[in-house]
Amino acid sequence: MQKIAVIGTGYVGLVTASCLADMGNRVICVDNDRKKLENLKKGIIPIYEPGLEELIIKNRKLKRIFFVNSIREAAKESDIIFICVGTPTQADGGADLSAVEKVASEIARAMNGYKVIVGKSTVPAETGDRIKRTIEMIKRGKNNFDVVSNPEFLREGSAIHDTMYPDRIVIGVESKRAEEVMRKLYRPIKAPIVVTNIPTAEIIKHACNSFLSTKISFINAIANICELVGADVEKVAEAMGLDKRIGRQFLNAGAGFGGYCFPKDLDAFIHLAEKKGYDFELLKSVRKINNDQKKLLMKKTEDALWIVKNKNVGVLGLSFKPHTDDIRNSVSIEMIKILQHAGAKIKAYDPKAMQKSKAELAKVTFCKSPYDAAKNSDCLMILTEWEEFYKLDLQKVKKLLRQPIIIDGRNIFDPVKMKKLGFVYKCIGRC
Ligand code: UDX
């Protein structure tokens, strides 16, 4: 049993804390939002993540997870402190690290023995060094601590599984003592551990996320060529994926990537490279291709509808991907705003993300079912690939639509079958 503090109860913080508690540790979670803390104590979770609620309730009962609002209190009572606060994008594309700095200063003031301070938030390279310097400055010489970079690779929607069964654990350390603490902490997890220095660990995180984003933009660029020559991107991805060096994952062409991580991390990495004097042109293209996918969808909509103004568009899917209610940088939310700008009237449905979308979108009719969204719409647009959309009764959808037009930004149906059913079916990279 280790005594752990987790600062920040966002996505990464809550998942990390509940998994560490479930491994038998004593975990104190800290947040400055009192209402959120009160809810968490009652087992009310601010996000939808499969399995998270059960894990928190279970470990509350076992007295292994606690919620407080004082960094000081948590830091004093813990040997390992995870920093999981937000690092939002600033206007210049760089990451805003003010929350990380504030937490580091508070920890420094609370230090009452050897502490291992672990950076888990996605941060630009060199943040570990900054955290160390901030603490040293306040501690003035009594350096009884180590800073560790332990990047997080969890995906929303499968966050608990990704944390308990990761492909690898990356630990950036400067001392053998900190390495031992981290190895002991992760002993219950069966995964290869890569131990390296702090800047390398930070770059590993940047490299992984930007590589995955590159894979998506690459297949989207291929999809665009496929449309021009009459090829099928699904088959291209299938055959490419059978090459073990490439792999099939993250080769789904579509409306592009969104979410809290990829767009933000891409901006931050491009920004960091620029600051260091390297023009990361490849990643700038990745970003451009991703943004252009929305223009492509708009063009397809105009081709199908001719005039978009005053047309009813039914939108299926609001979250940035299935199995989450997260709408941060959701392609769907951005697409709705583009369509509204062109004068379209939107009827939208999502199984989980409607509540959050209501705060973000104006003048949208939120529907009870996908069929409700299709009813009297001039076209139906699919922007998140929730399972229930694959199982739609398409004959019924056709009857409900004013015109049998489906614009599929996630390639969930077979174009040949759709044509046979009498739909004008526009998808990505398949003719
Ligand atoms: C991502 C990384 O996968 C994870 O390792 C990191 O810790 C955080 O960022 P997440 O943002 O939860 O996780 O979502 P992910 O499943 O990676 O999907 C990101 C976006 O890419 C989604 O918008 C998804 O729709 C899109 N995507 C994914 C595609 O467009 N095509 C694909 O083939 C895969």
Side-chain angles (χ1 to χ4, degrees):
M1 198 268 295
Q2 308 241 39
K3 288 194 276 178
I4 299 165
V6 174
I7 323 282
T9 59
Y11 229 105
V12 171
L14 272 185
V15 172
T16 304
S18 50
C19 290
L20 288 172
D22 211 51
M23 286 181 218
N25 300 294
R26 182 178 190 276
V27 185
I28 306 176
C29 302
V30 189
D31 207 288
N32 49 15
D33 183 337
R34 280 177 193 267
K35 176 114 186 63
K36 193 175 179 188
L37 291 175
E38 284 317 308
N39 281 337
L40 282 165
K41 282 180 195 166
K42 289 183 217 143
I44 303 169
I45 315 300
I47 49 175
Y48 168 74
E49 178 63 38
L52 182 61
E53 189 178 297
E54 292 86 332
L55 219 52
I56 291 180
I57 293 172
K58 173 184 161 196
N59 286 286
R60 283 280 297 162
K61 280 196 188 129
L62 292 168
K63 298 210 179 322
R64 291 198 295 222
I65 193 163
F66 304 88
F67 298 97
V68 303
N69 79 334
S70 156
I71 295 179
R72 245 169 225 238
E73 182 189 332
K76 274 194 182 3
E77 285 186 33
S78 308
D79 303 319
I80 308 171
I81 305 164
F82 280 87
I83 303 181
C84 301
V85 293
T87 54
T89 309
Q90 299 179 137
D92 65 357
D96 176 356
L97 298 173
S98 50
V100 175
E101 188 202 35
K102 195 169 163 282
V103 169
S105 321
E106 286 257 357
I107 294 171
R109 289 191 192 97
M111 212 107 78
N112 58 347
Y114 176 71
K115 309 277 175 192
V116 175
I117 298 149
V118 189
K120 214 156 186 42
S121 312
T122 301
V123 292
E126 298 183 330
T127 304
D129 190 46
R130 280 280 172 192
I131 294 174
K132 189 176 152 199
R133 277 158 56 183
T134 304
I135 297 175
E136 273 171 355
M137 208 85 90
I138 294 169
K139 285 280 298 163
R140 301 199 190 185
K142 291 183 239 154
N143 295 329
N144 205 8
F145 72 97
D146 273 304
V147 170
V148 171
S149 166
N150 174 214
E152 184 51 67
F153 299 100
L154 62 83
R155 288 162 303 173
E156 291 185 20
S158 54
I160 306 283
H161 180 271
D162 291 352
T163 306
M164 295 301 214
Y165 306 95
D167 289 342
R168 75 312 208 179
I169 292 166
V170 175
I171 298 173
V173 281
E174 283 181 334
S175 81
K176 208 69 202 154
R177 188 175 180 187
E179 181 186 333
E180 286 314 316
V181 170
M182 295 306 288
R183 280 192 186 275
K184 195 170 152 211
L185 181 68
Y186 284 124
R187 205 162 287 151
I189 294 180
K190 306 254 163 309
I193 297 186
V194 179
V195 177
T196 179
N197 61 26
I198 294 173
T200 308
E202 290 168 334
I203 289 290
I204 289 170
K205 174 70 190 183
H206 283 303
C208 289
N209 272 5
S210 50
F211 184 78
L212 291 170
S213 311
T214 305
K215 235 180 145 180
I216 300 169
S217 278
F218 182 85
I219 201 68
N220 280 335
I222 296 290
N224 296 339
I225 302 280
C226 283
E227 287 189 14
L228 298 173
V229 303
D232 180 347
V233 73
E234 293 287 309
K235 283 283 163 203
V236 175
E238 182 190 329
M240 280 178 74
L242 287 169
D243 185 326
K244 289 187 188 68
R245 294 167 303 175
I246 298 173
R248 176 63 182 81
Q249 290 186 57
F250 283 73
L251 284 183
N252 295 324
F257 57 78
Y260 186 57
C261 290
F262 281 176
K264 175 174 81 82
D265 293 358
L266 203 55
D267 284 346
F269 204 16
I270 292 168
H271 185 262
L272 174 89
E274 220 151 65
K275 241 173 70 185
K276 293 282 161 192
Y278 180 69
D279 184 7
F280 214 145
E281 274 185 82
L282 173 67
L283 294 188
K284 286 183 184 167
S285 298
V286 167
R287 184 167 61 184
K288 185 177 181 319
I289 292 168
N290 196 53
N291 290 336
D292 285 352
Q293 286 307 96
K294 288 184 273 284
K295 292 183 197 153
L296 180 81
L297 273 174
M298 192 59 203
K299 193 174 169 298
K300 285 177 189 287
T301 314
E302 284 162 352
D303 280 350
L305 290 178
W306 185 28
I307 307 293
V308 175
K309 197 174 164 187
N310 290 327
K311 293 276 167 68
N312 291 329
V313 178
V315 171
L316 299 189
L318 294 162
S319 56
F320 82 94
K321 66 171 193 179
H323 308 291
T324 177
D325 64 350
D326 197 343
I327 54 161
R328 290 176 295 178
N329 293 316
S330 160
V331 173
S332 174
I333 301 287
E334 290 168 23
M335 245 351 269
I336 287 175
K337 289 181 179 169
I338 295 170
L339 287 160
Q340 284 181 324
H341 187 71
K345 295 181 207 150
I346 308 294
K347 294 171 76 181
Y349 170 77
D350 187 286
K352 292 281 176 218
M354 299 224 273
Q355 202 53 41
K356 288 195 173 159
S357 303
K358 281 177 188 165
E360 181 65 30
L361 293 168
K363 292 186 186 156
V364 167
T365 307
F366 291 96
C367 301
K368 284 193 203 74
S369 72
Y371 300 107
D372 205 13
K375 197 173 172 189
N376 292 329
S377 285
D378 295 285
C379 80
L380 195 62
M381 194 179 256
I382 301 165
L383 292 168
T384 316
E385 65 277 33
W386 286 98
E387 274 89 2
E388 68 172 283
F389 303 155
Y390 288 86
K391 296 178 201 143
L392 282 176
D393 176 345
L394 292 167
Q395 294 289 8
K396 186 172 167 186
V397 170
K398 199 175 142 200
K399 275 196 200 119
L400 289 167
L401 282 167
R402 265 195 207 149
Q403 311 181 83
I405 302 172
I406 292 187
I407 295 163
D408 183 357
R410 296 295 171 189
N411 280 354
I412 73 172
F413 296 123
D414 173 5
V416 178
K417 194 177 140 206
M418 294 303 277
K419 226 168 264 170
K420 265 195 203 141
L421 283 170
F423 281 100
V424 172
Y425 178 68
K426 292 187 178 277
C427 47
I428 309 283
R430 301 176 303 166
C431 297

